[in-house]
Amino acid sequence: MFDPNRCLKQVSGLGRPVCLSVLLLSMTVIAKAEDPPNIIIVYADDLGFGDLSCYNSKAPYKTPRLDQMADEGIRFTDAHSPSTICSPSRYGLFSGQQIYRSTGRGGGAFEGPGGPSYLKPGTLTIAQMLKEQGYRTGVFGKWHVGLSWFDKDGKRLGGGFKNSLLIDYEKSTPLIDGPNARGFDESFVTPNCPNTDPLYVYIENGMVAVPASERHDPKSLPNPGGKWRWDNDAGWMSPGYDFMNADLLFYDKTEAFIREHRTKTPDKPFFAVLSTQIAHAPVLPAEEFNGATEAGPRGDFVWELDVLVGRVLDLVKELGIDDQTLVMFNSDNGAETLHVNWMRQDHQHDPSDGWRGMKRDAWEGGHRVPFIARWPGQIPPKQVSTQMTNTTDIFATVASAVGVSLPDEAATDSFDMLPVMLGQQDESNSVRPHLLTQSFRGEFQIRQGPWKYLDHKGSGGNNYEVKNMQPWALPEKAPDAPGQLYNLDDDPGETNNLYFKEEAKRKEMQELLSKLKSSGRSAPTNRKPFRKPIKARQ
């Protein structure tokens, strides 16, 4: 009998004897590596750069599962959200583009039946791109890129809270610009912030099972710490809408999607987005997480997020697809203003981790966010990268992992970070020659190496003259300057505006910004995947 563990056989083309069992094992590993990976994105909400213990060793709580994810993969320290507010950043995640590609300017956050979608017809989404490669796609949680709702006369409704009762659900559903019309096979989402902005309904595969017909009273919900219920707006809700367990529900829907997919079509890859509401206001951790930390309700809330990420990691291991799954974690902008104030005052915790600013601000605290990626066997562990990157880059990175050459007209602000993740990019060689972000009002900021130019005065978002913001206001050293220029290597706190002192550099940055805006793209053309094209499992 042939014993492959003892017999060496000359294999044609290799030119040397090899153990056949080793050869077969090697071929299996190579084939497995060339399969398109499953892809999971966990997208957090209003989570600051310093809100995870793997980023901030001084945090008054630990985030062990996210720390584990970072230890087993790569953690980026110069990662940014496309915008300093949620809806435009979510557009960036799904489209690989800055919001002005859709609106010609900035973009606000939707409330009530606000829309239509920022994701216009003809815009290639990351879900559509993967679906074309044979993936089954799903999104679960906060959607918040706008939806079209109609009244009984077929008239499109505007945003705000009062129009919620005017929705004609028969005319409005299935939604013409919901997730299922933008590349997702399965979806269970809320139109806006799940616990903040009515309308409070759940939408499953473009349909609303229970219309909003009851008036929600914020006082009906717990108020941990006497203040953390702040920003739970009164408005119209579906009877039985669950505020306290929203993220547990979103996780359960994500898990069910993955399990069902693995049961029915285990040979096909999947793409799942778990879009949490943590740590957006109001702070409403599920009951089982109350008191989990010594950092108050928001610490408990972040702990809940960490537990859910751990459940995702445990799930792919249980299903035996750990090595076949690329998991990414990211946030849509910095931490909310009052959250930053209260955490600093009550728990000596800085969600911005020393960076100036917070949600809505164009300074670093408004858009520098955690970004972690894990893919066992592909992404080497224990990597910490200083590469400059943006949430928009997830699109081109995923395309590269799947072996797709993106058309030039798609994902026009997306750079491929896969070589960095795989440990095959010299840290001194920046993938990005520049990086664009937009603040709350849609104003632009641009990075080039350590240089950062803000094409506006002030924060770009928050008013630092109001009482609760005054403690964090800094004196302006060039108050007459119409813009701001900082060298983050020398001045990470963005305190010394060099607008006049470094005139040549400022003009160079202004010209670069003007060029990128007028060219219609900031990403390179003719992008080729870092991994060779791979055939989707059918």
Side-chain angles (χ1 to χ4, degrees):
M1 177 181 291
F2 173 69
D3 183 355
N5 293 313
R6 297 181 60 190
C7 178
L8 293 176
K9 182 177 180 180
Q10 186 78 25
V11 179
S12 174
L14 294 181
R16 65 183 188 278
V18 296
C19 179
L20 188 58
S21 63
V22 172
L23 176 66
L24 293 174
L25 176 60
S26 176
M27 290 173 66
T28 300
V29 171
I30 291 172
K32 184 177 180 181
E34 291 180 352
D35 281 343
N38 304 306
I39 299 162
I40 301 174
I41 297 173
V42 180
Y43 200 44
D45 200 345
D46 291 7
L47 191 80
F49 182 85
D51 274 328
L52 305 182
S53 54
C54 55
Y55 280 88
N56 180 7
S57 61
K58 297 179 181 178
Y61 53 82
K62 297 296 182 182
T63 50
R65 300 310 303 271
L66 279 156
D67 293 2
Q68 171 198 341
M69 183 178 168
D71 191 59
E72 295 174 349
I74 186 168
R75 175 171 64 90
F76 289 86
T77 60
D78 200 356
H80 301 263
S81 57
S83 172
T84 63
I85 194 168
C86 45
S87 295
S89 286
R90 287 159 199 279
Y91 170 82
L93 170 66
F94 293 125
S95 71
Q97 301 182 146
Q98 291 293 139
I99 187 61
Y100 77 99
R101 308 291 183 198
S102 175
T103 65
R105 53 190 190 284
F110 293 101
E111 297 176 339
S117 177
Y118 284 148
L119 295 168
K120 296 180 178 178
T123 300
L124 182 68
T125 69
I126 188 171
Q128 288 169 330
M129 181 268 293
L130 290 170
K131 192 171 181 177
E132 291 172 0
Q133 304 306 309
Y135 279 71
R136 186 155 184 82
T137 58
V139 60
F140 311 95
K142 175 178 174 177
W143 180 242
H144 214 192
V145 290
L147 294 169
S148 292
W149 301 93
F150 302 93
D151 65 13
K152 61 182 178 58
D153 297 320
K155 179 182 177 181
R156 188 193 302 271
L157 293 166
F161 305 141
K162 293 182 179 179
N163 284 340
S164 295
L165 285 182
L166 300 178
I167 296 172
D168 185 310
Y169 288 91
E170 289 188 6
K171 285 186 168 61
S172 299
T173 57
L175 292 164
I176 62 172
D177 51 4
N180 296 69
R182 296 294 184 264
F184 287 99
D185 295 303
E186 298 286 337
S187 65
F188 185 91
V189 300
T190 59
N192 307 316
C193 296
N195 286 356
T196 304
D197 302 323
L199 120 119
Y200 296 127
V201 296
Y202 293 125
I203 306 167
E204 189 161 19
N205 294 326
M207 303 299 294
V208 177
V210 184
S213 61
E214 290 186 358
R215 181 77 171 173
H216 167 62
D217 181 0
K219 294 180 181 179
S220 66
L221 297 179
N223 190 17
K227 56 191 175 185
W228 290 98
R229 193 179 59 205
W230 168 78
D231 210 21
N232 175 230
D233 292 335
W236 295 99
M237 59 175 270
S238 300
Y241 187 89
D242 191 345
F243 289 88
M244 302 303 300
N245 297 296
D247 285 303
L248 296 181
L249 176 60
F250 299 152
Y251 171 77
D252 287 345
K253 293 290 184 179
T254 305
E255 178 180 344
F257 167 78
I258 293 173
R259 287 189 183 277
E260 182 182 23
H261 175 82
R262 292 295 301 167
T263 299
K264 294 182 177 179
T265 53
D267 294 328
K268 291 183 65 175
F270 67 82
F271 171 56
V273 179
L274 171 56
S275 181
T276 77
Q277 64 157 344
I278 303 172
H280 196 286
V283 174
L284 297 173
E287 184 176 359
E288 64 187 273
F289 301 103
N290 285 327
T293 73
E294 296 182 357
R298 190 173 183 275
D300 299 344
F301 214 23
V302 176
W303 177 269
E304 179 179 352
L305 174 64
D306 187 71
V307 169
L308 294 181
V309 171
R311 291 178 184 176
V312 169
L313 300 180
D314 292 343
L315 177 64
V316 295
K317 285 188 177 181
E318 176 197 333
L319 296 176
I321 54 174
D322 197 25
D323 292 349
Q324 300 166 257
T325 305
L326 168 60
V327 182
M328 288 175 281
F329 178 89
N330 192 219
S331 176
D332 65 355
N333 47 248
E336 179 59 86
T337 53
L338 286 179
H339 288 189
V340 173
N341 291 342
W342 293 337
M343 291 304 288
R344 286 173 176 172
Q345 294 166 3
D346 297 349
H347 301 287
Q348 295 73 56
H349 170 60
D350 183 6
S352 298
D353 197 27
W355 298 104
R356 186 181 185 184
M358 52 200 83
K359 179 179 179 178
R360 300 179 191 85
D361 291 338
W363 298 312
E364 291 294 287
H367 53 82
R368 189 178 287 240
V369 293
F371 182 33
I372 303 170
R374 176 186 182 274
W375 185 6
Q378 301 292 324
I379 296 178
K382 301 183 184 302
Q383 293 187 88
V384 179
S385 176
T386 59
Q387 286 275 347
M388 187 168 58
T389 185
N390 190 303
T391 299
T392 57
D393 297 338
I394 289 176
F395 198 127
T397 302
V398 165
S400 187
V402 177
V404 172
S405 296
L406 290 175
D408 288 344
E409 65 271 16
T412 55
D413 299 302
S414 190
F415 287 73
D416 180 10
M417 303 305 294
L418 189 65
V420 179
M421 292 182 177
L422 299 184
Q424 300 187 40
Q425 178 82 13
D426 190 329
E427 275 289 291
S428 64
N429 182 14
S430 179
V431 171
R432 274 183 162 273
H434 41 65
L435 179 143
L436 287 174
T437 54
Q438 290 181 263
S439 60
F440 177 63
R441 294 190 291 265
E443 295 163 317
F444 283 92
Q445 306 81 45
I446 186 169
R447 276 278 304 281
Q448 187 184 52
W451 290 97
K452 178 180 178 181
Y453 172 69
L454 295 81
D455 197 34
H456 55 86
K457 299 183 72 169
S459 73
N462 295 303
N463 179 4
Y464 279 75
E465 294 181 0
V466 301
K467 184 177 180 180
N468 69 294
M469 299 299 292
Q470 287 176 358
W472 320 118
L474 299 176
E476 295 296 341
K477 296 184 179 179
D480 297 329
Q484 301 167 69
L485 179 68
Y486 302 105
N487 186 314
L488 296 181
D489 279 353
D490 300 331
D491 181 25
E494 297 172 275
T495 60
N496 186 22
N497 186 358
L498 302 174
Y499 186 94
F500 295 120
K501 291 183 179 180
E502 296 286 350
E503 182 180 5
K505 187 64 183 179
R506 181 250 299 169
K507 288 183 176 179
E508 177 188 341
M509 299 286 280
Q510 288 173 325
E511 290 173 4
L512 176 59
L513 175 59
S514 178
K515 177 182 177 181
L516 293 177
K517 289 166 61 178
S518 62
S519 70
R521 66 182 308 106
S522 66
T525 58
N526 195 33
R527 289 163 293 186
K528 300 297 181 184
F530 189 70
R531 289 182 100 209
K532 69 180 183 179
I534 46 185
K535 185 178 180 181
R537 290 167 280 173
Q538 300 297 325

